[in-house]
Amino acid sequence: MMTPSHHAYVPFVSVDKMMKLVLTLGIERVLLDLVAEIEADFRRWPEFDKTARVASHSDVGVIELMPTSDGETYGFKYVNGHPSNMKNGLQTVTAFGLLADVATGYPVLLSEMTILTALRTAATSAMAAKWLAPAGATTMALIGNGAQAEFQALAFKAVCGITEVRLYDIDPAATAKCVENLAGRGLRTVACTTPEQAILGAQIITTVTADKQYATILTDNMVGAGVHINAVGGDCPGKTELHRDILLRSGIFVEYPPQSRIEGEIQQLPADHPVTELWQVIAGTATGRTDARQITLFDSVGFAIEDFSALRYVKSKLAETGLFDNLDMIADPNDPRDLFGMLLRAA
Ligand code: NAD
């Protein structure tokens, strides 16, 4: 007789284990590794099953599911975006995600993704800048100094060689937090009191603010020739950060156009306005920056493949680090048809 069992344990990476994993491996190493993983998956973009994320909007925020599959592994992320949460002591963005084996449908990883989203978003931003920013960029303006900010700063240091970050936030306490967190990490930080001061001498401008409205973090006259803009905060219908005129002067690069047309800065433009898919630049089938005076814009909204890459990366580190728990999440009787008998035996 078979031993009664209902266990098909799923490796689970809690917030605590994720923090230990990132600190054990080193934050900048994780960011560099994630760039390599995301880049490799962007190169094989056509192999993925792609869909614009499924978004459920409310007056105060959005809850989204972000699925994709490469035919062998399926993944999805649950993520929210609630700009007003912060005032109530809650995160603007929280997330968790899952990988599953396409052959059986069984989950193979469940993980926290609030921290992992900040890491993968920063890695994707820095990856885009690696391909698009002007050569020799050393200074980045970082407008919006909330939860994502330090991750962005460190990714641009590790991946693009940025040495100075010029910080601005409408809330000086956020900037002060950022300066403190980045101290001793090899970056010169300059706390600025206006966005104009922040962009002085910056070859890269990152906007990562949270506000559920058409905001104008950058006006047209603030953006000079040759700059690379990394626009991260505008990622929902009705939520943008850049004045429309900037878009009209820029070479625009996006993740997945059907999603970016709805959620990105380009929601301000006609649906046929030309944009370049970032994966094609990486795969060598589209041109990136055309010349030193071109303004390049990465209109980031976050795409499911980035989460898939990040989850696979985490999974690849579990055996080496042991930083996971076994989760009893899948009912799996020895006799697959005896689910009811398994239930009765638990009495
Ligand atoms: P957060 O709430 O922790 O921080 C946002 C910061 O922006 C706050 O410190 C706030 O004071 C500041 N801010 C608001 N309006 C501003 C303005 N006009 N000028 C300067 N600063 C301003 O949020 P977060 O987790 O850091 O996320 C920031 C944004 O990035 C959110 O909109 C989020 O949805 C978006 N996001 C995008 C991606 C992506 O892949 N593109 C991924 C994660 C988060």
Coordinates of all heavy atoms in Angstrom, one line a residue, residues 121-159:
T121 N 12.7 46.3 -12.0 CA 12.3 47.6 -12.6 C 13.6 48.4 -12.8 O 13.9 49.0 -13.9 CB 11.3 48.4 -11.8 OG1 10.2 47.6 -11.6 CG2 10.9 49.7 -12.5
A122 N 14.4 48.5 -11.8 CA 15.7 49.2 -11.9 C 16.6 48.5 -12.9 O 17.3 49.2 -13.7 CB 16.4 49.2 -10.5
A123 N 16.7 47.2 -12.9 CA 17.5 46.5 -13.8 C 17.1 46.8 -15.3 O 17.9 47.0 -16.2 CB 17.5 45.0 -13.5
T124 N 15.7 46.8 -15.5 CA 15.2 47.0 -16.8 C 15.5 48.5 -17.3 O 15.9 48.7 -18.4 CB 13.7 46.8 -16.9 OG1 13.4 45.5 -16.4 CG2 13.2 46.9 -18.3
S125 N 15.4 49.4 -16.3 CA 15.7 50.8 -16.7 C 17.2 50.9 -17.0 O 17.5 51.6 -18.0 CB 15.4 51.7 -15.4 OG 14.1 51.9 -15.2
A126 N 18.1 50.3 -16.2 CA 19.5 50.5 -16.5 C 19.9 49.7 -17.8 O 20.7 50.2 -18.6 CB 20.3 49.9 -15.3
M127 N 19.2 48.6 -18.0 CA 19.4 47.9 -19.3 C 19.1 48.8 -20.5 O 19.8 48.9 -21.5 CB 18.6 46.6 -19.3 CG 18.7 45.8 -20.6 SD 17.6 44.4 -20.6 CE 16.0 45.1 -21.0
A128 N 17.9 49.4 -20.4 CA 17.5 50.3 -21.5 C 18.5 51.4 -21.7 O 18.9 51.7 -22.8 CB 16.1 50.9 -21.2
A129 N 19.0 52.0 -20.6 CA 19.9 53.1 -20.7 C 21.3 52.6 -21.3 O 21.9 53.4 -22.0 CB 20.1 53.7 -19.3
K130 N 21.6 51.4 -20.9 CA 22.9 50.8 -21.5 C 22.9 50.9 -23.0 O 23.9 51.1 -23.7 CB 23.0 49.4 -21.0 CG 24.3 48.7 -21.3 CD 24.2 47.3 -20.7 CE 24.4 46.2 -21.8 NZ 24.3 44.9 -21.4
W131 N 21.7 50.6 -23.6 CA 21.6 50.6 -25.0 C 21.3 52.0 -25.6 O 21.5 52.2 -26.8 CB 20.4 49.6 -25.4 CG 20.9 48.2 -25.2 CD1 20.7 47.5 -24.1 CD2 21.6 47.4 -26.1 NE1 21.2 46.2 -24.2 CE2 21.8 46.1 -25.5 CE3 22.0 47.5 -27.4 CZ2 22.4 45.0 -26.1 CZ3 22.6 46.4 -28.1 CH2 22.8 45.2 -27.4
L132 N 20.7 52.9 -24.8 CA 20.2 54.2 -25.4 C 20.8 55.4 -24.9 O 20.8 56.4 -25.6 CB 18.6 54.2 -25.1 CG 17.8 53.1 -25.6 CD1 16.4 53.2 -25.1 CD2 17.8 53.1 -27.1
A133 N 21.4 55.4 -23.7 CA 21.9 56.7 -23.1 C 23.1 57.2 -23.9 O 23.8 56.4 -24.5 CB 22.2 56.5 -21.6
P134 N 23.4 58.5 -23.8 CA 24.6 59.0 -24.5 C 25.9 58.3 -23.9 O 25.9 58.1 -22.7 CB 24.6 60.5 -24.2 CG 23.7 60.7 -23.0 CD 22.7 59.6 -23.1
A135 N 26.9 58.1 -24.7 CA 28.1 57.5 -24.3 C 28.7 58.3 -23.2 O 28.7 59.6 -23.3 CB 29.0 57.3 -25.5
G136 N 29.3 57.7 -22.2 CA 30.1 58.4 -21.2 C 29.2 59.1 -20.2 O 29.7 60.0 -19.4
A137 N 27.9 58.8 -20.1 CA 27.0 59.5 -19.1 C 27.5 59.2 -17.7 O 27.9 58.0 -17.3 CB 25.6 59.0 -19.2
T138 N 27.6 60.2 -16.8 CA 28.1 60.0 -15.4 C 27.1 60.5 -14.4 O 27.2 60.2 -13.2 CB 29.4 60.8 -15.2 OG1 29.2 62.2 -15.6 CG2 30.6 60.3 -16.0
T139 N 26.1 61.4 -14.9 CA 25.3 62.1 -13.9 C 23.8 61.8 -14.2 O 23.4 61.9 -15.4 CB 25.5 63.6 -14.0 OG1 26.9 63.8 -13.7 CG2 24.6 64.3 -12.9
M140 N 23.0 61.4 -13.2 CA 21.6 61.1 -13.4 C 20.8 62.0 -12.4 O 21.1 62.0 -11.2 CB 21.3 59.6 -13.1 CG 19.8 59.3 -13.2 SD 19.5 57.6 -13.4 CE 19.3 57.1 -11.7
A141 N 19.7 62.6 -13.0 CA 18.7 63.2 -12.1 C 17.7 62.1 -11.7 O 17.3 61.3 -12.6 CB 18.0 64.4 -12.9
L142 N 17.4 62.1 -10.4 CA 16.4 61.1 -10.0 C 15.3 61.8 -9.3 O 15.4 62.3 -8.2 CB 17.1 60.2 -9.0 CG 16.4 59.0 -8.4 CD1 15.6 58.2 -9.5 CD2 17.4 58.0 -7.7
I143 N 14.1 62.0 -10.0 CA 13.0 62.7 -9.6 C 11.9 61.8 -9.1 O 11.4 61.0 -9.8 CB 12.5 63.7 -10.7 CG1 13.6 64.6 -11.1 CG2 11.3 64.5 -10.2 CD1 13.3 65.5 -12.2
G144 N 11.6 61.9 -7.8 CA 10.8 60.9 -7.1 C 11.7 60.0 -6.3 O 12.5 59.2 -6.8
N145 N 11.7 60.2 -5.0 CA 12.7 59.5 -4.1 C 12.0 58.5 -3.2 O 12.4 58.4 -2.0 CB 13.5 60.6 -3.4 CG 14.3 61.5 -4.3 OD1 14.6 62.6 -3.9 ND2 14.5 61.1 -5.5
G146 N 11.0 57.8 -3.7 CA 10.3 56.9 -2.9 C 10.9 55.5 -2.9 O 12.1 55.3 -3.0
A147 N 10.0 54.5 -2.8 CA 10.5 53.1 -2.6 C 11.4 52.6 -3.7 O 12.3 51.8 -3.5 CB 9.2 52.2 -2.5
Q148 N 11.2 53.0 -5.0 CA 12.0 52.5 -6.1 C 13.3 53.2 -6.2 O 14.2 52.7 -6.9 CB 11.2 52.7 -7.4 CG 9.8 52.3 -7.5 CD 9.6 50.8 -7.2 OE1 10.3 49.9 -7.7 NE2 8.6 50.4 -6.4
A149 N 13.5 54.4 -5.6 CA 14.6 55.3 -6.0 C 16.0 54.7 -5.8 O 16.8 54.8 -6.7 CB 14.4 56.6 -5.2
E150 N 16.3 54.2 -4.6 CA 17.7 53.7 -4.4 C 18.0 52.6 -5.3 O 19.2 52.5 -5.8 CB 17.8 53.2 -2.9 CG 17.7 54.4 -1.9 CD 16.3 54.5 -1.4 OE1 15.3 54.1 -2.1 OE2 16.1 55.1 -0.3
F151 N 17.0 51.7 -5.6 CA 17.3 50.6 -6.5 C 17.7 51.1 -7.9 O 18.6 50.6 -8.6 CB 16.0 49.7 -6.7 CG 15.6 49.1 -5.3 CD1 14.8 49.7 -4.4 CD2 16.1 47.8 -5.0 CE1 14.4 49.1 -3.2 CE2 15.8 47.2 -3.8 CZ 14.9 47.8 -2.9
Q152 N 17.0 52.2 -8.3 CA 17.3 52.8 -9.6 C 18.7 53.4 -9.6 O 19.5 53.2 -10.5 CB 16.3 54.0 -9.9 CG 14.9 53.5 -10.2 CD 14.7 53.0 -11.7 OE1 15.4 53.5 -12.6 NE2 13.8 52.1 -11.9
A153 N 19.0 54.1 -8.5 CA 20.4 54.7 -8.4 C 21.5 53.7 -8.5 O 22.4 53.8 -9.3 CB 20.5 55.5 -7.1
L154 N 21.3 52.6 -7.8 CA 22.4 51.6 -7.7 C 22.4 50.8 -9.1 O 23.5 50.4 -9.5 CB 22.1 50.6 -6.6 CG 22.4 51.3 -5.2 CD1 22.1 50.3 -4.1 CD2 23.8 51.8 -5.1
A155 N 21.3 50.6 -9.7 CA 21.4 49.9 -11.0 C 22.1 50.8 -12.0 O 22.9 50.2 -12.8 CB 19.9 49.6 -11.5
F156 N 21.9 52.1 -12.0 CA 22.5 52.9 -13.0 C 24.0 53.0 -12.7 O 24.9 53.2 -13.6 CB 21.9 54.3 -13.1 CG 20.7 54.3 -14.0 CD1 19.5 53.8 -13.5 CD2 20.8 54.7 -15.3 CE1 18.3 53.8 -14.4 CE2 19.7 54.7 -16.1 CZ 18.4 54.2 -15.7
K157 N 24.4 52.9 -11.4 CA 25.8 52.9 -11.0 C 26.4 51.6 -11.6 O 27.5 51.6 -12.3 CB 26.0 53.0 -9.5 CG 27.4 52.7 -9.0 CD 27.5 52.8 -7.5 CE 28.9 52.5 -7.0 NZ 29.2 51.0 -7.0
A158 N 25.8 50.5 -11.2 CA 26.4 49.2 -11.5 C 26.5 48.9 -13.1 O 27.4 48.4 -13.6 CB 25.6 48.1 -10.8
V159 N 25.4 49.3 -13.7 CA 25.3 48.9 -15.2 C 25.8 50.0 -16.1 O 26.4 49.7 -17.1 CB 23.8 48.6 -15.5 CG1 23.6 48.2 -16.9 CG2 23.3 47.5 -14.6

